[in-house]
Amino acid sequence: MAVEALRQRYEAAGQGHLLQFWPQLSEPERAQLQAQLEALDIERVNRIYKKAVSAEKEASEQAGRDVIEPLPEDAAASVLGGTEDEKKWRSIGLKAIANGQVGVLLMAGGQGTRLGSSAPKGCYDIGLPSHKSLFQYQAERIARLQKIAAQESSTSAAAVIPWYVMTSGPTRPETEAFFKKSNYFGLDPKNVIFFEQGTLPCLTMDGKVILEAASKVAVAPDGNGGVYNALRQPLSPSDKTHTVLSDLEQRKVLYIHAYCVDNCLVKVADPVFLGHCIEKQADCATKVVPKAYPTESVGVVARRGSKFSVVEYSEISKEQAERRDPKTGELAFRAGNIVNHFYTTTYLKAVESFEDELAFHIARKKIPFVDEAGQTIKPTKPNGMKLEMFVFDVFPFTKHFAVLEVARNEEFSPLKNAPGTGSDDPDTSRRDLLAQHRRFLERAGAKVAEGVEIELSPLVSYAGEGLESVKGKVFTRAGLVESLEELDALQ
């Protein structure tokens, strides 16, 4: 696009200031700015801003008026305490995997900055005896599950679970390099597909796009809810028609499991969850864990009016937080959100039809900008906004929604904080994973001596299965187990 046409388009959108330094820019700087402005859908940015501001105002006016109710009894199933349904769901899920109908969507755009690492979070080593990264653990769970599905099905072909890894712009090169260097952790590279989370320009409080340099627009990731738009974007500049959605269609994948990279206990493509959702004919579903205590700072899945929604802890009164179910004595609002979701491919395609109704959330931040003289200013107080969508913002638009309650100690140990924090840090992740491995062995009939830590590779057991041979054995030595035979050395 000629620069004059670009200028007219931006002026018509009320964003003409973005070209104010054009006369002073060098040719490379002009090329950079022009490319950025041509790629930007400025009219969409304006629509998103207006919608976000009006939604925030409406939410503020409605505060306290919305009727927030706990999940109805028939809306959520549970695997706590084990049920007969669990075996049935596992069988349904494994069959779908064996038939090539399941894909996995990993949200891995974050950097380990809060952990003291500049690498992508998935590369992080939580200090296990194996020193495996989060990426490796999840890859090996996929590999093990492919094997289980093939063994338990009547098809002779190997099961394939394609893995779609969403990075951010800054983390993509390092993430791809990490996978290549590690030989994709034993997975077939053609079944690991990288794509990128989108960004949106940072805006002033009155909706003007901010320049962080004379030739560069300030941008920020569009939140984990940006995944829906990212699924429709070309996977490479050379083929505009090949997207994640088209890839799913080509592979005939019907069901997707989506999760965040920072949970070391995540059951990737959990057949029980998949089977439950398939049986319920859900379009979209979520896993939850019981809240640890009434005031825990976690969003809960609940009903807002007639619709399913994630209600932030700040929106629930103390009285609601402490309310208990008269029948069970459990917290009424207990369905803690852990960003662990199921979708049908059909549903993911349909998101585009209601995406304009979704409002982005406003985060007011200190955003460096250039002044009239072209000098970079670092503000001392919030001067602008970043716009983001949350992955659960689609829940209220879901016609067939399902919720599955799972045990926190088996499925959720997030890595959020720096080492030594004492909660949601590398030490708690390590502790929770090794405690789970101890339970796997003990449930299979083995005894593990006090203080002995045994790490079981996901290639040995996905969720405690395949350990029948340890019955009656006593393990007195710590160690890493990469094959069943290695357990004998730890007696």
Side-chain angles (χ1 to χ4, degrees), residues 90-249:
R90 183 177 184 271
S91 177
I92 295 169
L94 286 176
K95 187 179 175 189
I97 291 168
N99 290 337
Q101 296 172 336
V102 174
V104 168
L105 174 56
L106 167 60
M107 291 172 273
Q111 283 171 303
T113 317
R114 280 163 72 180
L115 305 169
S117 164
S118 60
K121 226 180 196 182
C123 302
Y124 198 81
D125 165 10
I126 59 174
L128 293 165
S130 66
H131 293 289
K132 289 177 183 176
S133 63
L134 292 169
F135 279 140
Q136 182 165 355
Y137 246 78
Q138 291 158 27
E140 291 184 354
R141 284 184 184 133
I142 289 173
R144 171 71 183 159
L145 198 51
Q146 289 178 158
K147 202 170 179 181
I148 294 169
Q151 283 168 350
E152 295 200 15
S153 78
S154 50
T155 59
S156 55
V160 171
I161 303 172
W163 197 15
Y164 298 88
V165 180
M166 184 173 82
T167 67
S168 58
T171 62
R172 183 166 185 170
E174 207 171 335
T175 300
E176 290 201 42
F178 190 72
F179 271 73
K180 280 177 189 153
K181 183 179 139 199
S182 311
N183 294 317
Y184 293 81
F185 313 107
L187 297 175
D188 185 334
K190 70 171 183 286
N191 298 322
V192 181
I193 299 97
F194 297 97
F195 68 109
E196 219 165 287
Q197 180 178 2
T199 59
L200 279 171
C202 302
L203 306 174
T204 62
M205 301 303 185
D206 57 356
K208 298 293 182 190
V209 174
I210 294 175
L211 282 171
E212 72 170 51
S215 61
K216 193 178 181 190
V217 170
V219 297
D222 56 5
N224 57 15
V227 64
Y228 303 111
N229 182 54
L231 297 176
R232 300 193 298 269
Q233 302 312 311
L235 287 169
S236 77
S238 58
D239 182 359
K240 301 285 188 196
T241 62
H242 190 203
T243 64
V244 171
L245 286 179
S246 75
D247 198 81
L248 289 167
E249 198 166 352

Side-chain angles (χ1 to χ4, degrees), residues 449-491:
E450 193 64 38
V452 169
E453 291 182 332
I454 296 175
E455 181 187 350
L456 296 172
S457 164
L459 296 169
V460 171
S461 185
Y462 173 87
E465 80 296 327
L467 299 173
E468 295 79 11
S469 61
V470 304
K471 191 172 183 178
K473 293 181 179 177
V474 179
F475 297 107
T476 56
R477 298 176 61 196
L480 162 66
V481 175
E482 294 280 9
S483 69
L484 271 177
E485 295 72 32
E486 290 176 21
L487 273 165
D488 291 338
L490 303 182
Q491 290 182 83

